[in-house]
Amino acid sequence: MQRTLRLLAIVAGLCATTEALAQKYPVRPVKIMVGFSAGGPVDVVARIVADRLGNKLGQPFVVENRAGANGMIAAEGVAHAEGDGYTMLACNSSTITLNRTLFRDIRYDPEKDFAPLTTVVSAPLVLVVNPENPKTAHINTVADLVAAAKAAPGALAYGSGGNGNLAHLAMELLSQKAGIKMIHVPYRGGAASEVGILAQEVLAVFDPLSAVPLVKAGKLRALAVSSAERLPALPDVPTVAEAGYPGFDISFWVGFFMPKAVPAPILETLHREIVAAAKDPVLQERLETQGVVSVLSPAEYAAKIAKETKELAEVVAAANIKAE
């Protein structure tokens, strides 16, 4: 009995200590590690959120860029950091859902090593063709593209930002669902693939949101968006799911994580403040330059990651995709 009481007292003391730490948190600067270069989507979102967190919580949240290996360098650093709440990860979807499928030398486990906080923005891809290209002038819908591909199996080329890129997987998923075969032309980045379709080197591309101005200017024709919901900037463009492929939902998201061992009260504080930042009307305008503002509970975020990881792994296996 006495032993049980002592154990209960120890547990109560630890809980009290954790709660006290959370109430004081943070007492020194917090590092936000970004696995990509300054100026990119992840970096932009991280800096917007960092400013807000610093102002609200009274300590600087400092962004540190550790670019390389599709975000794996930064992710590994956070995965192995102390669980004291002073090292955070800002990353994109590929770092969490794709890397462990594509790379053999990954040294972190997205499920076991991280506590998910929330997504902040989600950016669907836009399936586009070039209306000035004689080969795609008649393609106005996803059904038209599928019909053209079926009429010339293995002859039509599409572009992406590289092998294993999310745009590559989106087209492979569509191809698998539609029962078509197209030739993949990997470029060095999304911007280069966009140049490729404008130059009529490829017939179709799942483009990032940079395609929206080109669509509105008539330089590109949007057939569908890859997300489950329509894109507010292109309200008349259907989703791929609406175009006949239910369940199709692929987006490039940016979100935040902490090491798994961080105490729950600190995770709750950070989740609350990041969500508040995303919902701030002034910050929303800045965040929307990178995508659609989208926040989730930690449980919803974990479920989303599990679902996407499984689905994308299946696409990678079926298409035998190898990382460059």
Side-chain angles (χ1 to χ4, degrees):
M1 183 66 177
Q2 290 181 342
R3 182 181 179 185
T4 301
L5 290 174
R6 283 198 299 270
L7 288 173
L8 289 173
I10 291 171
V11 170
L14 289 173
C15 290
T17 300
T18 299
E19 186 65 31
L21 286 172
Q23 289 175 355
K24 295 178 181 179
Y25 175 85
V27 296
R28 64 177 191 270
V30 178
K31 182 192 303 179
I32 301 180
M33 294 179 64
V34 173
F36 302 90
S37 301
V42 179
D43 179 76
V44 170
V45 171
R47 291 179 188 278
I48 292 171
V49 172
D51 287 344
R52 164 76 180 222
L53 292 177
N55 290 333
K56 288 294 183 178
L57 296 178
Q59 288 288 340
F61 279 69
V62 182
V63 173
E64 180 178 313
N65 298 91
R66 289 195 186 178
N70 200 30
M72 287 196 290
I73 296 173
E76 183 183 347
V78 176
H80 300 151
E82 293 292 329
D84 55 8
Y86 290 91
T87 308
M88 182 187 297
L89 176 67
C91 68
N92 66 19
S93 49
S94 295
T95 302
I96 300 298
T97 62
L98 267 178
N99 281 358
R100 69 176 177 181
T101 298
L102 290 174
F103 299 98
R104 293 182 178 180
D105 60 345
I106 186 170
R107 292 185 290 273
Y108 62 90
D109 186 312
E111 181 181 357
K112 295 179 180 179
D113 292 338
F114 298 120
L117 295 173
T118 182
T119 54
V120 175
V121 297
S122 180
L125 302 167
V126 185
L127 178 58
V128 295
V129 296
N130 185 343
E132 297 180 359
N133 187 335
K135 294 180 180 179
T136 53
H138 65 290
I139 295 178
N140 296 292
T141 66
V142 174
D144 291 340
L145 179 64
V146 170
K150 286 184 174 180
L156 304 186
Y158 73 91
S160 82
N163 285 323
N165 178 278
L166 201 61
H168 178 198
L169 269 66
M171 191 67 84
E172 285 297 332
L173 178 58
L174 176 59
S175 297
Q176 290 169 20
K177 286 181 174 291
I180 59 175
K181 182 65 177 177
M182 300 175 68
I183 300 170
H184 176 224
V185 179
Y187 288 86
R188 291 190 176 277
S193 70
E194 194 170 84
V195 172
I197 193 169
L198 290 170
Q200 302 184 17
E201 295 172 350
V202 292
L203 301 187
V205 168
F206 264 108
D207 226 357
L209 291 184
S210 59
V212 171
L214 294 170
V215 170
K216 291 185 174 182
K219 299 293 185 183
L220 293 174
R221 178 183 295 141
L223 307 183
V225 294
S226 66
S227 52
E229 298 179 354
R230 293 194 180 195
L231 184 63
L234 298 172
D236 296 328
V237 177
T239 66
V240 175
E242 290 174 326
Y245 302 95
F248 194 104
D249 182 12
I250 290 182
S251 292
F252 173 98
W253 47 257
V254 177
F256 290 83
F257 297 82
M258 296 294 284
K260 196 80 165 185
V262 171
I266 293 177
L267 297 176
E268 290 164 5
T269 295
L270 291 170
H271 170 76
R272 182 181 67 248
E273 293 300 335
I274 294 172
V275 169
K279 291 183 176 180
D280 183 301
V282 175
L283 296 188
Q284 269 194 354
E285 186 174 350
R286 295 171 61 194
L287 290 169
E288 285 172 353
T289 63
Q290 306 303 318
V292 179
V293 172
S294 174
V295 294
L296 299 170
S297 71
E300 290 170 334
Y301 197 7
K304 178 181 179 67
I305 290 166
K307 177 177 179 290
E308 290 185 5
T309 300
K310 179 177 181 295
E311 290 177 345
L312 295 177
E314 290 172 352
V315 174
V316 168
N320 194 28
I321 296 170
K322 305 294 183 183
E324 292 180 324

